[in-house]
């Protein structure tokens, strides 16, 4: 059976979802939101097409009146997914736009039907293996759980002294570091987390390695973060921000398991595992002379990438619900509408989970203040989740909403130039959007 999460999770078993004899990727759908609550229900494309309606897409026995009995059809062919509305009363929406005819959509598309949201996925099997939802207060889906499994696998074969986590800000690197620390199997072992970007350069050595009385004016005998992590794990977030001098001392500590406090004349032994994290490409930093090559090869393996939220859209309803549960404690309960969750899923969120949760919290506070019990797309700030762009010479820096780009490409049947003209932008911006999401223009061509 699927790995169980607390909450509303209803992932089918592998046998139920797939049948037998399947060894390769199995494209399909995941119902991620229904009945104003997050879900995780796998929908396999039976044969090459499937018709879905009120019974299949409602959250429970309480049927969604906004969904027709036969509402939407999904077809799978060699080029991907096609979706068409079956003459429903309330329509079918892709990228928040109502479709008028059969439309080709890429994997990772969000489709709204009544109060339910479906996500097209290239392979539904990871949802069965890893589950989706809120486990012990931590929201996670297949992409995040696969990263955690990779950490556990490396630890099981003895690669346990260092770990490098890469990924954008807000993707959950500290959660992964704590999973690395948990692999010690010692609940009482210390976990010392350091944000290297927040340490003043002239204080980095003292804060990391400690100091002795008299080392400088006002100096006292003090442990550093390394000594504080003795017997446990040291998490160096944004390790690429450390100066070259401090990097050399960090390398020596890793090689010798000894540390020299500032002002000391003798080394002291330390037993510490190091998990480093960065949003930078350390290979590029090495090539530019900003990061020591020998330190990179010491901490750079194994390297595990944490995918951004835009590659983990299935988690979006769960993060929203977790924040709303926190905001509703001892207050009037507040919920999210399907269109609000859809609007969140369509934004880029350069700050990832951290930014999404902060914005939902702000929107919830605003809604509660005006005595509204449901979040709608209008509750989102216009700039929330949008890329921060620098203005090019002679041009405007106003961002193009994700849903508008997708809608323009759909309307233009994948014609990049036509979509650019419709939006009033250079077609290079559309091509960069496609490259960023790894989508071919042909994915938007209509049959």
């Amino acid at each position: 059976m699927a790995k169980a999460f607390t909450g509303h999770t209803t992932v089918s078993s592998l046998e139920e979802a797939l049948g037998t004899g399947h060894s390769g990727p199995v494209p399909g759908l995941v119902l991620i939101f229904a009945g104003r609550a997050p879900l995780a229900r796998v929908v396999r494309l039976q044969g090459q097409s499937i018709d879905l309606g009120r019974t299949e897409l409602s959250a429970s026995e309480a049927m969604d009146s906004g969904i027709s009995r036969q509402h939407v059809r999904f077809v799978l062919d060699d080029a991907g997914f096609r979706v068409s509305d079956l003459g429903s009363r309330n329509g079918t929406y892709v990228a928040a736009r109502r479709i008028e005819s059969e439309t080709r959509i890429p994997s990772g598309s969000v489709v709204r039907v009544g109060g339910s949201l479906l996500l097209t996925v290239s392979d539904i099997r990871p949802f069965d293996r890893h589950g989706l939802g809120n486990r012990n207060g931590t929201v996670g889906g297949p992409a995040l759980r696969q990263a955690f499994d990779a950490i556990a696998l490396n630890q099981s074969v003895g690669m346990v002294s260092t770990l490098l986590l890469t990924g954008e800000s807000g993707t959950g690197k500290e959660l992964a570091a704590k999973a690395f620390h948990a692999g010690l199997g010692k609940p009482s072992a210390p976990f010392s987390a350091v944000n290297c970007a927040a340490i003043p350069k002239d204080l980095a050595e003292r804060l990391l390695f400690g100091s002795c009385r008299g080392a400088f004016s006002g100096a006292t005998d003090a442990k550093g973060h390394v000594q504080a992590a003795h017997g446990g794990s040291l998490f160096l977030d944004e390790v690429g921000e450390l100066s070259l001098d401090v990097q050399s001392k960090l390398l020596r500590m890793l090689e010798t398991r000894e540390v020299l406090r500032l002002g000391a004349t003798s080394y002291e032994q330390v037993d510490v595992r190091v998990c480093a994290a960065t949003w930078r490409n350390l290979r590029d930093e090495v090539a530019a002379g900003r990061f020591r090559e020998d330190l990179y090869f010491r901490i750079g393996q194994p390297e595990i990438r944490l995918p951004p939220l835009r590659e983990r859209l299935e988690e979006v309803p769960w993060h929203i619900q977790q924040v709303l549960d926190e905001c509703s404690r001892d207050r009037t309960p507040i919920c999210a509408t399907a269109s609000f969750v859809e609007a969140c899923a369509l934004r880029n969120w350069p700050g990832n989970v951290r930014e999404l949760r902060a914005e939902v919290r702000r929107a919830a506070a605003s809604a509660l203040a005006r005595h509204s019990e449901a979040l709608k797309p209008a509750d989102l700030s216009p700039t929330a989740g949008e890329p921060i762009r620098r203005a090019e010479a002679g041009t405007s820096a106003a961002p193009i909403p994700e849903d508008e780009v997708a809608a323009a490409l759909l309307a233009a049947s994948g014609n990049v130039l036509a979509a650019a003209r419709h939006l009033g932008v250079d077609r290079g911006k559309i091509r960069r959007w496609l490259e960023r999401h790894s989508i071919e223009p042909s994915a938007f061509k209509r049959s």
Side-chain angles (χ1 to χ4, degrees), residues 85-99:
D85 187 81
L86 299 178
S88 69
R89 182 174 66 256
N90 295 313
T92 299
Y93 293 76
V94 175
R97 300 296 178 94
R98 187 166 182 165
I99 60 173

Side-chain angles (χ1 to χ4, degrees), residues 46 104 144 152 158 162 170 194 201 204 216 220 243 273 289 312 314 318 323-324 329 351 357 364 398 435 438:
Q46 302 293 339
R104 184 171 295 283
L144 191 61
T162 61
V194 185
K201 289 185 178 181
F216 51 87
T220 60
S243 68
R273 302 190 314 163
R312 297 152 46 187
E314 63 276 0
W318 295 89
V323 172
L324 295 184
R329 290 173 185 166
R357 294 174 71 95
E435 291 172 0
S438 301

Side-chain angles (χ1 to χ4, degrees), residues 61-74:
E61 295 180 359
M63 296 290 105
D64 185 342
S65 61
I67 303 177
S68 301
R69 292 186 183 277
Q70 292 294 308
H71 194 116
V72 62
R73 174 174 295 160
F74 288 89

Side-chain angles (χ1 to χ4, degrees), residues 211-362:
S211 62
C212 290
R213 186 181 302 275
F216 51 87
S217 179
T220 60
D221 289 326
K223 289 183 177 181
H225 290 291
V226 173
Q227 293 95 325
H230 179 68
S233 304
L234 175 66
F235 175 45
L236 297 176
D237 196 10
E238 301 306 345
V239 69
E241 304 301 320
L242 292 176
S243 68
L244 291 172
D245 286 345
V246 175
Q247 289 177 31
S248 66
K249 292 178 173 62
L250 177 61
L251 175 64
R252 190 184 191 287
M253 186 275 291
L254 290 169
E255 295 289 355
T256 65
R257 300 296 164 177
E258 293 179 337
V259 64
L260 183 68
R261 298 192 193 201
L262 194 64
T265 58
S266 60
Y267 287 88
E268 56 189 289
Q269 292 291 127
V270 289
D271 175 20
V272 61
R273 302 190 314 163
V274 174
C275 177
T278 181
W279 62 270
R280 297 181 183 275
N281 184 321
L282 288 190
R283 282 187 171 271
D284 289 347
E285 295 297 292
V286 170
R290 292 187 293 266
F291 200 83
R292 290 182 63 101
E293 183 176 13
D294 45 8
L295 179 59
Y296 170 71
F297 287 119
R298 185 64 181 80
I299 68 170
Q301 293 295 330
E303 177 181 334
I304 293 176
R305 171 184 177 267
L306 294 181
L309 185 61
R310 59 184 173 274
E311 296 177 17
R312 297 152 46 187
L313 293 183
E314 63 276 0
E315 294 181 16
V316 169
W318 295 89
H319 285 293
I320 293 172
Q321 187 61 51
Q322 190 177 51
V323 172
L324 295 184
D325 288 344
E326 295 168 358
C327 293
S328 298
R329 290 173 185 166
D330 302 322
R331 299 185 183 93
T332 303
I334 187 168
C335 64
T337 61
S339 56
F340 177 84
V341 177
E342 175 190 47
C344 288
L346 292 175
R347 298 203 180 189
N348 194 62
W349 301 109
N352 292 287
V353 174
R354 184 183 298 117
E355 183 188 10
L356 169 67
R357 294 174 71 95
E359 174 60 18
V360 174
R361 193 172 291 109
R362 184 210 58 77

